[in-house]
PDB file of all heavy atoms in Angstrom:
ATOM      1  N   ILE A   1     -14.817 -45.024  -3.001  1.00 86.00           N
ATOM      2  CA  ILE A   1     -14.821 -44.426  -4.225  1.00 86.00           C
ATOM      3  C   ILE A   1     -14.981 -45.413  -5.429  1.00 86.00           C
ATOM      4  O   ILE A   1     -14.152 -46.297  -5.546  1.00 86.00           O
ATOM      5  CB  ILE A   1     -13.474 -43.509  -4.516  1.00 86.00           C
ATOM      6  CG1 ILE A   1     -13.342 -42.629  -3.277  1.00 86.00           C
ATOM      7  CG2 ILE A   1     -13.504 -42.817  -5.802  1.00 86.00           C
ATOM      8  CD1 ILE A   1     -14.388 -41.548  -3.154  1.00 86.00           C
ATOM      9  N   THR A   2     -15.916 -45.165  -6.385  1.00 92.00           N
ATOM     10  CA  THR A   2     -16.134 -46.001  -7.442  1.00 92.00           C
ATOM     11  C   THR A   2     -16.068 -45.131  -8.781  1.00 92.00           C
ATOM     12  O   THR A   2     -16.911 -44.125  -8.774  1.00 92.00           O
ATOM     13  CB  THR A   2     -17.417 -46.770  -7.436  1.00 92.00           C
ATOM     14  OG1 THR A   2     -17.383 -47.625  -6.341  1.00 92.00           O
ATOM     15  CG2 THR A   2     -17.525 -47.692  -8.761  1.00 92.00           C
ATOM     16  N   LEU A   3     -15.200 -45.352  -9.766  1.00 93.00           N
ATOM     17  CA  LEU A   3     -15.153 -44.716 -10.964  1.00 93.00           C
ATOM     18  C   LEU A   3     -15.521 -45.757 -12.030  1.00 93.00           C
ATOM     19  O   LEU A   3     -14.899 -46.802 -12.120  1.00 93.00           O
ATOM     20  CB  LEU A   3     -13.742 -44.149 -11.224  1.00 93.00           C
ATOM     21  CG  LEU A   3     -13.273 -43.178 -10.087  1.00 93.00           C
ATOM     22  CD1 LEU A   3     -11.723 -42.759 -10.403  1.00 93.00           C
ATOM     23  CD2 LEU A   3     -14.116 -41.872 -10.001  1.00 93.00           C
ATOM     24  N   ARG A   4     -16.626 -45.482 -12.750  1.00 96.00           N
ATOM     25  CA  ARG A   4     -16.930 -46.507 -13.767  1.00 96.00           C
ATOM     26  C   ARG A   4     -17.291 -45.851 -15.163  1.00 96.00           C
ATOM     27  O   ARG A   4     -18.076 -44.978 -15.254  1.00 96.00           O
ATOM     28  CB  ARG A   4     -18.359 -47.196 -13.243  1.00 96.00           C
ATOM     29  CG  ARG A   4     -18.715 -48.356 -13.997  1.00 96.00           C
ATOM     30  CD  ARG A   4     -19.953 -49.136 -13.289  1.00 96.00           C
ATOM     31  NE  ARG A   4     -19.229 -49.932 -12.189  1.00 96.00           N
ATOM     32  CZ  ARG A   4     -19.466 -49.949 -10.887  1.00 96.00           C
ATOM     33  NH1 ARG A   4     -20.610 -49.251 -10.498  1.00 96.00           N
ATOM     34  NH2 ARG A   4     -18.798 -50.730 -10.054  1.00 96.00           N
ATOM     35  N   GLY A   5     -16.654 -46.543 -16.200  1.00 96.00           N
ATOM     36  CA  GLY A   5     -16.899 -46.101 -17.571  1.00 96.00           C
ATOM     37  C   GLY A   5     -16.495 -44.771 -18.009  1.00 96.00           C
ATOM     38  O   GLY A   5     -16.909 -44.232 -18.943  1.00 96.00           O
ATOM     39  N   LEU A   6     -15.376 -44.275 -17.341  1.00 95.00           N
ATOM     40  CA  LEU A   6     -14.840 -42.909 -17.679  1.00 95.00           C
ATOM     41  C   LEU A   6     -13.490 -43.069 -18.190  1.00 95.00           C
ATOM     42  O   LEU A   6     -12.686 -43.931 -18.071  1.00 95.00           O
ATOM     43  CB  LEU A   6     -14.770 -42.212 -16.334  1.00 95.00           C
ATOM     44  CG  LEU A   6     -16.062 -42.130 -15.431  1.00 95.00           C
ATOM     45  CD1 LEU A   6     -15.734 -41.412 -14.168  1.00 95.00           C
ATOM     46  CD2 LEU A   6     -17.121 -41.321 -16.258  1.00 95.00           C
ATOM     47  N   ASN A   7     -13.124 -41.964 -19.047  1.00 94.00           N
ATOM     48  CA  ASN A   7     -11.787 -41.826 -19.581  1.00 94.00           C
ATOM     49  C   ASN A   7     -11.124 -40.574 -18.935  1.00 94.00           C
ATOM     50  O   ASN A   7     -11.665 -39.537 -18.937  1.00 94.00           O
ATOM     51  CB  ASN A   7     -11.896 -41.566 -21.075  1.00 94.00           C
ATOM     52  CG  ASN A   7     -12.516 -42.636 -21.912  1.00 94.00           C
ATOM     53  OD1 ASN A   7     -12.505 -43.817 -21.445  1.00 94.00           O
ATOM     54  ND2 ASN A   7     -13.199 -42.341 -22.944  1.00 94.00           N
ATOM     55  N   PHE A   8      -9.933 -40.828 -18.482  1.00 90.00           N
ATOM     56  CA  PHE A   8      -9.136 -39.832 -17.896  1.00 90.00           C
ATOM     57  C   PHE A   8      -7.919 -39.496 -18.665  1.00 90.00           C
ATOM     58  O   PHE A   8      -7.206 -40.416 -18.969  1.00 90.00           O
ATOM     59  CB  PHE A   8      -8.694 -40.225 -16.437  1.00 90.00           C
ATOM     60  CG  PHE A   8      -9.810 -40.382 -15.487  1.00 90.00           C
ATOM     61  CD1 PHE A   8     -10.387 -41.701 -15.255  1.00 90.00           C
ATOM     62  CD2 PHE A   8     -10.458 -39.434 -14.779  1.00 90.00           C
ATOM     63  CE1 PHE A   8     -11.490 -41.892 -14.465  1.00 90.00           C
ATOM     64  CE2 PHE A   8     -11.581 -39.554 -13.952  1.00 90.00           C
ATOM     65  CZ  PHE A   8     -12.069 -40.837 -13.780  1.00 90.00           C
ATOM     66  N   ASN A   9      -7.662 -38.278 -19.060  1.00 89.00           N
ATOM     67  CA  ASN A   9      -6.619 -38.001 -19.934  1.00 89.00           C
ATOM     68  C   ASN A   9      -5.800 -36.861 -19.216  1.00 89.00           C
ATOM     69  O   ASN A   9      -6.259 -35.757 -19.039  1.00 89.00           O
ATOM     70  CB  ASN A   9      -7.078 -37.513 -21.224  1.00 89.00           C
ATOM     71  CG  ASN A   9      -5.971 -37.352 -22.352  1.00 89.00           C
ATOM     72  OD1 ASN A   9      -4.898 -36.962 -21.961  1.00 89.00           O
ATOM     73  ND2 ASN A   9      -6.247 -37.668 -23.522  1.00 89.00           N
ATOM     74  N   GLY A  10      -4.436 -37.176 -18.939  1.00 85.00           N
ATOM     75  CA  GLY A  10      -3.648 -36.246 -18.288  1.00 85.00           C
ATOM     76  C   GLY A  10      -2.944 -35.206 -19.189  1.00 85.00           C
ATOM     77  O   GLY A  10      -2.161 -34.423 -18.725  1.00 85.00           O
ATOM     78  N   GLN A  11      -3.256 -35.306 -20.472  1.00 82.00           N
ATOM     79  CA  GLN A  11      -2.670 -34.378 -21.452  1.00 82.00           C
ATOM     80  C   GLN A  11      -1.147 -34.344 -21.483  1.00 82.00           C
ATOM     81  O   GLN A  11      -0.511 -33.369 -21.796  1.00 82.00           O
ATOM     82  CB  GLN A  11      -3.253 -32.893 -21.085  1.00 82.00           C
ATOM     83  CG  GLN A  11      -4.683 -32.778 -21.082  1.00 82.00           C
ATOM     84  CD  GLN A  11      -5.295 -32.632 -22.457  1.00 82.00           C
ATOM     85  OE1 GLN A  11      -4.559 -32.225 -23.367  1.00 82.00           O
ATOM     86  NE2 GLN A  11      -6.458 -32.975 -22.534  1.00 82.00           N
ATOM     87  N   GLU A  12      -0.488 -35.372 -21.059  1.00 78.00           N
ATOM     88  CA  GLU A  12       0.961 -35.581 -20.996  1.00 78.00           C
ATOM     89  C   GLU A  12       1.704 -34.575 -20.047  1.00 78.00           C
ATOM     90  O   GLU A  12       2.839 -34.345 -20.246  1.00 78.00           O
ATOM     91  CB  GLU A  12       1.443 -35.583 -22.428  1.00 78.00           C
ATOM     92  CG  GLU A  12       1.121 -36.708 -23.290  1.00 78.00           C
ATOM     93  CD  GLU A  12       1.819 -36.733 -24.611  1.00 78.00           C
ATOM     94  OE1 GLU A  12       2.627 -35.897 -24.897  1.00 78.00           O
ATOM     95  OE2 GLU A  12       1.389 -37.658 -25.324  1.00 78.00           O
ATOM     96  N   ARG A  13       0.923 -33.994 -19.120  1.00 75.00           N
ATOM     97  CA  ARG A  13       1.544 -33.076 -18.143  1.00 75.00           C
ATOM     98  C   ARG A  13       0.929 -33.235 -16.827  1.00 75.00           C
ATOM     99  O   ARG A  13       1.363 -32.565 -15.941  1.00 75.00           O
ATOM    100  CB  ARG A  13       1.494 -31.668 -18.760  1.00 75.00           C
ATOM    101  CG  ARG A  13       0.075 -31.114 -18.816  1.00 75.00           C
ATOM    102  CD  ARG A  13       0.142 -29.645 -19.397  1.00 75.00           C
ATOM    103  NE  ARG A  13      -1.077 -29.067 -19.535  1.00 75.00           N
ATOM    104  CZ  ARG A  13      -1.948 -29.120 -20.648  1.00 75.00           C
ATOM    105  NH1 ARG A  13      -1.488 -29.679 -21.691  1.00 75.00           N
ATOM    106  NH2 ARG A  13      -3.072 -28.575 -20.586  1.00 75.00           N
ATOM    107  N   ASN A  14      -0.136 -33.904 -16.711  1.00 78.00           N
ATOM    108  CA  ASN A  14      -0.683 -34.076 -15.278  1.00 78.00           C
ATOM    109  C   ASN A  14      -0.850 -35.458 -14.989  1.00 78.00           C
ATOM    110  O   ASN A  14      -1.011 -36.450 -15.775  1.00 78.00           O
ATOM    111  CB  ASN A  14      -2.160 -33.456 -15.452  1.00 78.00           C
ATOM    112  CG  ASN A  14      -2.144 -32.089 -15.945  1.00 78.00           C
ATOM    113  OD1 ASN A  14      -1.379 -31.224 -15.441  1.00 78.00           O
ATOM    114  ND2 ASN A  14      -2.937 -31.741 -16.914  1.00 78.00           N
ATOM    115  N   MET A  15      -0.849 -35.813 -13.627  1.00 78.00           N
ATOM    116  CA  MET A  15      -1.179 -37.045 -13.163  1.00 78.00           C
ATOM    117  C   MET A  15      -2.651 -37.277 -13.414  1.00 78.00           C
ATOM    118  O   MET A  15      -3.435 -36.377 -13.315  1.00 78.00           O
ATOM    119  CB  MET A  15      -0.935 -37.191 -11.629  1.00 78.00           C
ATOM    120  CG  MET A  15       0.559 -37.122 -11.275  1.00 78.00           C
ATOM    121  SD  MET A  15       0.833 -36.883  -9.576  1.00 78.00           S
ATOM    122  CE  MET A  15       0.438 -38.539  -8.953  1.00 78.00           C
ATOM    123  N   CYS A  16      -3.065 -38.434 -13.662  1.00 78.00           N
ATOM    124  CA  CYS A  16      -4.546 -38.760 -14.015  1.00 78.00           C
ATOM    125  C   CYS A  16      -5.366 -38.948 -12.748  1.00 78.00           C
ATOM    126  O   CYS A  16      -6.297 -38.160 -12.503  1.00 78.00           O
ATOM    127  CB  CYS A  16      -4.648 -39.976 -14.909  1.00 78.00           C
ATOM    128  SG  CYS A  16      -4.297 -39.650 -16.531  1.00 78.00           S
ATOM    129  N   ILE A  17      -5.033 -39.873 -11.855  1.00 80.00           N
ATOM    130  CA  ILE A  17      -5.808 -40.148 -10.776  1.00 80.00           C
ATOM    131  C   ILE A  17      -4.998 -40.304  -9.500  1.00 80.00           C
ATOM    132  O   ILE A  17      -4.097 -41.057  -9.438  1.00 80.00           O
ATOM    133  CB  ILE A  17      -6.652 -41.467 -10.861  1.00 80.00           C
ATOM    134  CG1 ILE A  17      -7.558 -41.377 -12.076  1.00 80.00           C
ATOM    135  CG2 ILE A  17      -7.425 -41.827  -9.742  1.00 80.00           C
ATOM    136  CD1 ILE A  17      -8.284 -42.687 -12.385  1.00 80.00           C
ATOM    137  N   VAL A  18      -5.332 -39.486  -8.504  1.00 77.00           N
ATOM    138  CA  VAL A  18      -4.670 -39.610  -7.112  1.00 77.00           C
ATOM    139  C   VAL A  18      -5.863 -39.863  -6.223  1.00 77.00           C
ATOM    140  O   VAL A  18      -6.660 -38.930  -6.057  1.00 77.00           O
ATOM    141  CB  VAL A  18      -3.922 -38.342  -6.767  1.00 77.00           C
ATOM    142  CG1 VAL A  18      -3.372 -38.527  -5.301  1.00 77.00           C
ATOM    143  CG2 VAL A  18      -2.699 -38.196  -7.703  1.00 77.00           C
ATOM    144  N   LEU A  19      -5.884 -41.029  -5.598  1.00 76.00           N
ATOM    145  CA  LEU A  19      -6.941 -41.244  -4.658  1.00 76.00           C
ATOM    146  C   LEU A  19      -6.417 -41.633  -3.262  1.00 76.00           C
ATOM    147  O   LEU A  19      -5.919 -42.760  -3.133  1.00 76.00           O
ATOM    148  CB  LEU A  19      -7.908 -42.352  -5.127  1.00 76.00           C
ATOM    149  CG  LEU A  19      -8.695 -42.031  -6.379  1.00 76.00           C
ATOM    150  CD1 LEU A  19      -9.560 -43.266  -6.866  1.00 76.00           C
ATOM    151  CD2 LEU A  19      -9.693 -40.950  -6.167  1.00 76.00           C
ATOM    152  N   ASN A  20      -6.499 -40.797  -2.303  1.00 70.00           N
ATOM    153  CA  ASN A  20      -6.035 -41.155  -0.939  1.00 70.00           C
ATOM    154  C   ASN A  20      -7.229 -41.732  -0.188  1.00 70.00           C
ATOM    155  O   ASN A  20      -7.635 -41.119   0.884  1.00 70.00           O
ATOM    156  CB  ASN A  20      -5.389 -39.912  -0.342  1.00 70.00           C
ATOM    157  CG  ASN A  20      -4.117 -39.532  -1.032  1.00 70.00           C
ATOM    158  OD1 ASN A  20      -3.361 -40.310  -1.602  1.00 70.00           O
ATOM    159  ND2 ASN A  20      -3.913 -38.168  -1.097  1.00 70.00           N
ATOM    160  N   GLY A  21      -7.900 -42.736  -0.704  1.00 66.00           N
ATOM    161  CA  GLY A  21      -8.987 -43.290  -0.070  1.00 66.00           C
ATOM    162  C   GLY A  21      -8.830 -44.728   0.320  1.00 66.00           C
ATOM    163  O   GLY A  21      -7.722 -45.316  -0.047  1.00 66.00           O
ATOM    164  N   PHE A  22      -9.738 -45.331   0.948  1.00 70.00           N
ATOM    165  CA  PHE A  22      -9.498 -46.630   1.475  1.00 70.00           C
ATOM    166  C   PHE A  22     -10.075 -47.771   0.572  1.00 70.00           C
ATOM    167  O   PHE A  22      -9.599 -48.906   0.479  1.00 70.00           O
ATOM    168  CB  PHE A  22     -10.010 -46.729   2.932  1.00 70.00           C
ATOM    169  CG  PHE A  22      -9.121 -46.036   3.882  1.00 70.00           C
ATOM    170  CD1 PHE A  22      -9.676 -45.017   4.673  1.00 70.00           C
ATOM    171  CD2 PHE A  22      -7.744 -46.286   3.884  1.00 70.00           C
ATOM    172  CE1 PHE A  22      -8.806 -44.317   5.551  1.00 70.00           C
ATOM    173  CE2 PHE A  22      -6.937 -45.516   4.764  1.00 70.00           C
ATOM    174  CZ  PHE A  22      -7.410 -44.597   5.500  1.00 70.00           C
ATOM    175  N   LEU A  23     -11.239 -47.542   0.022  1.00 83.00           N
ATOM    176  CA  LEU A  23     -11.880 -48.545  -0.791  1.00 83.00           C
ATOM    177  C   LEU A  23     -12.109 -47.993  -2.205  1.00 83.00           C
ATOM    178  O   LEU A  23     -12.930 -47.009  -2.365  1.00 83.00           O
ATOM    179  CB  LEU A  23     -13.303 -48.928  -0.264  1.00 83.00           C
ATOM    180  CG  LEU A  23     -13.250 -49.408   1.284  1.00 83.00           C
ATOM    181  CD1 LEU A  23     -14.697 -49.517   1.800  1.00 83.00           C
ATOM    182  CD2 LEU A  23     -12.506 -50.737   1.478  1.00 83.00           C
ATOM    183  N   VAL A  24     -11.316 -48.404  -3.222  1.00 85.00           N
ATOM    184  CA  VAL A  24     -11.293 -47.781  -4.537  1.00 85.00           C
ATOM    185  C   VAL A  24     -11.727 -48.910  -5.499  1.00 85.00           C
ATOM    186  O   VAL A  24     -11.051 -49.871  -5.600  1.00 85.00           O
ATOM    187  CB  VAL A  24      -9.889 -47.175  -4.724  1.00 85.00           C
ATOM    188  CG1 VAL A  24      -9.833 -46.585  -6.160  1.00 85.00           C
ATOM    189  CG2 VAL A  24      -9.501 -46.136  -3.644  1.00 85.00           C
ATOM    190  N   THR A  25     -12.576 -48.546  -6.393  1.00 91.00           N
ATOM    191  CA  THR A  25     -12.944 -49.439  -7.506  1.00 91.00           C
ATOM    192  C   THR A  25     -12.835 -48.546  -8.745  1.00 91.00           C
ATOM    193  O   THR A  25     -13.504 -47.466  -8.842  1.00 91.00           O
ATOM    194  CB  THR A  25     -14.383 -50.031  -7.337  1.00 91.00           C
ATOM    195  OG1 THR A  25     -14.372 -50.803  -6.213  1.00 91.00           O
ATOM    196  CG2 THR A  25     -14.706 -50.869  -8.557  1.00 91.00           C
ATOM    197  N   ILE A  26     -11.945 -49.012  -9.707  1.00 92.00           N
ATOM    198  CA  ILE A  26     -11.963 -48.381 -11.056  1.00 92.00           C
ATOM    199  C   ILE A  26     -12.328 -49.407 -11.983  1.00 92.00           C
ATOM    200  O   ILE A  26     -11.685 -50.487 -12.111  1.00 92.00           O
ATOM    201  CB  ILE A  26     -10.461 -47.893 -11.240  1.00 92.00           C
ATOM    202  CG1 ILE A  26     -10.113 -46.866 -10.174  1.00 92.00           C
ATOM    203  CG2 ILE A  26     -10.368 -47.221 -12.616  1.00 92.00           C
ATOM    204  CD1 ILE A  26      -8.698 -46.377 -10.265  1.00 92.00           C
ATOM    205  N   ASP A  27     -13.468 -49.248 -12.646  1.00 96.00           N
ATOM    206  CA  ASP A  27     -14.118 -50.227 -13.415  1.00 96.00           C
ATOM    207  C   ASP A  27     -14.449 -49.697 -14.858  1.00 96.00           C
ATOM    208  O   ASP A  27     -15.043 -48.688 -14.930  1.00 96.00           O
ATOM    209  CB  ASP A  27     -15.475 -50.694 -12.701  1.00 96.00           C
ATOM    210  CG  ASP A  27     -16.239 -51.742 -13.497  1.00 96.00           C
ATOM    211  OD1 ASP A  27     -15.505 -52.435 -14.301  1.00 96.00           O
ATOM    212  OD2 ASP A  27     -17.457 -51.816 -13.237  1.00 96.00           O
ATOM    213  N   ARG A  28     -13.903 -50.349 -15.873  1.00 96.00           N
ATOM    214  CA  ARG A  28     -14.152 -50.074 -17.252  1.00 96.00           C
ATOM    215  C   ARG A  28     -13.786 -48.625 -17.545  1.00 96.00           C
ATOM    216  O   ARG A  28     -14.452 -47.859 -18.323  1.00 96.00           O
ATOM    217  CB  ARG A  28     -15.684 -50.275 -17.615  1.00 96.00           C
ATOM    218  CG  ARG A  28     -16.054 -51.737 -17.621  1.00 96.00           C
ATOM    219  CD  ARG A  28     -17.402 -51.949 -17.892  1.00 96.00           C
ATOM    220  NE  ARG A  28     -18.085 -52.019 -16.545  1.00 96.00           N
ATOM    221  CZ  ARG A  28     -19.327 -52.079 -16.392  1.00 96.00           C
ATOM    222  NH1 ARG A  28     -20.233 -52.079 -17.351  1.00 96.00           N
ATOM    223  NH2 ARG A  28     -19.821 -52.144 -15.198  1.00 96.00           N
ATOM    224  N   CYS A  29     -12.596 -48.242 -16.992  1.00 95.00           N
ATOM    225  CA  CYS A  29     -12.065 -46.809 -17.261  1.00 95.00           C
ATOM    226  C   CYS A  29     -10.873 -46.869 -18.203  1.00 95.00           C
ATOM    227  O   CYS A  29     -10.163 -47.915 -18.265  1.00 95.00           O
ATOM    228  CB  CYS A  29     -11.791 -46.151 -15.936  1.00 95.00           C
ATOM    229  SG  CYS A  29     -13.122 -45.713 -14.898  1.00 95.00           S
ATOM    230  N   THR A  30     -10.530 -45.747 -18.813  1.00 94.00           N
ATOM    231  CA  THR A  30      -9.264 -45.705 -19.535  1.00 94.00           C
ATOM    232  C   THR A  30      -8.467 -44.523 -18.882  1.00 94.00           C
ATOM    233  O   THR A  30      -9.037 -43.448 -18.717  1.00 94.00           O
ATOM    234  CB  THR A  30      -9.517 -45.286 -21.076  1.00 94.00           C
ATOM    235  OG1 THR A  30     -10.252 -46.440 -21.620  1.00 94.00           O
ATOM    236  CG2 THR A  30      -8.271 -45.164 -21.768  1.00 94.00           C
ATOM    237  N   ILE A  31      -7.326 -44.761 -18.555  1.00 91.00           N
ATOM    238  CA  ILE A  31      -6.430 -43.765 -17.937  1.00 91.00           C
ATOM    239  C   ILE A  31      -5.275 -43.596 -18.834  1.00 91.00           C
ATOM    240  O   ILE A  31      -4.483 -44.569 -19.063  1.00 91.00           O
ATOM    241  CB  ILE A  31      -5.958 -44.245 -16.449  1.00 91.00           C
ATOM    242  CG1 ILE A  31      -7.107 -44.383 -15.541  1.00 91.00           C
ATOM    243  CG2 ILE A  31      -4.948 -43.270 -15.909  1.00 91.00           C
ATOM    244  CD1 ILE A  31      -7.684 -45.783 -15.431  1.00 91.00           C
ATOM    245  N   GLN A  32      -5.132 -42.409 -19.414  1.00 90.00           N
ATOM    246  CA  GLN A  32      -4.075 -42.291 -20.430  1.00 90.00           C
ATOM    247  C   GLN A  32      -3.382 -40.911 -20.317  1.00 90.00           C
ATOM    248  O   GLN A  32      -3.945 -39.928 -19.770  1.00 90.00           O
ATOM    249  CB  GLN A  32      -4.667 -42.482 -21.771  1.00 90.00           C
ATOM    250  CG  GLN A  32      -5.732 -41.468 -22.253  1.00 90.00           C
ATOM    251  CD  GLN A  32      -6.431 -41.823 -23.551  1.00 90.00           C
ATOM    252  OE1 GLN A  32      -6.475 -42.981 -23.932  1.00 90.00           O
ATOM    253  NE2 GLN A  32      -6.997 -40.813 -24.190  1.00 90.00           N
ATOM    254  N   ASN A  33      -2.232 -40.946 -20.812  1.00 88.00           N
ATOM    255  CA  ASN A  33      -1.361 -39.685 -20.965  1.00 88.00           C
ATOM    256  C   ASN A  33      -1.130 -39.030 -19.654  1.00 88.00           C
ATOM    257  O   ASN A  33      -0.980 -37.768 -19.577  1.00 88.00           O
ATOM    258  CB  ASN A  33      -2.003 -38.815 -22.032  1.00 88.00           C
ATOM    259  CG  ASN A  33      -2.074 -39.396 -23.377  1.00 88.00           C
ATOM    260  OD1 ASN A  33      -1.160 -40.033 -23.810  1.00 88.00           O
ATOM    261  ND2 ASN A  33      -3.189 -39.141 -24.034  1.00 88.00           N
ATOM    262  N   GLY A  34      -1.015 -39.763 -18.558  1.00 85.00           N
ATOM    263  CA  GLY A  34      -0.706 -39.205 -17.355  1.00 85.00           C
ATOM    264  C   GLY A  34       0.831 -39.065 -16.997  1.00 85.00           C
ATOM    265  O   GLY A  34       1.601 -39.927 -17.321  1.00 85.00           O
TER     266      GLY A  34
END
C-alpha cells in the first residue's frame, strides 16, 4: 500500500489511517485530527 501526497483529516472524532497490511509507504502525506 502506498499513499502519496494526500491529507487525511479525522475531524477530531475518527482514526485517520488503519492499515493491516504488510508493506506500507506513507509519503508526503499529512495526517491530522485523528
Side-chain angles (χ1 to χ4, degrees):
I1 303 299
T2 300
L3 304 173
R4 185 168 285 129
L6 306 172
N7 299 332
F8 297 92
N9 191 323
Q11 305 277 341
E12 296 187 1
R13 64 181 181 268
N14 305 312
M15 294 170 71
C16 282
I17 298 175
V18 175
L19 293 175
N20 296 326
F22 289 124
L23 307 171
V24 178
T25 299
I26 299 173
D27 179 23
R28 292 174 268 174
C29 291
T30 299
I31 297 97
Q32 61 188 24
N33 301 318

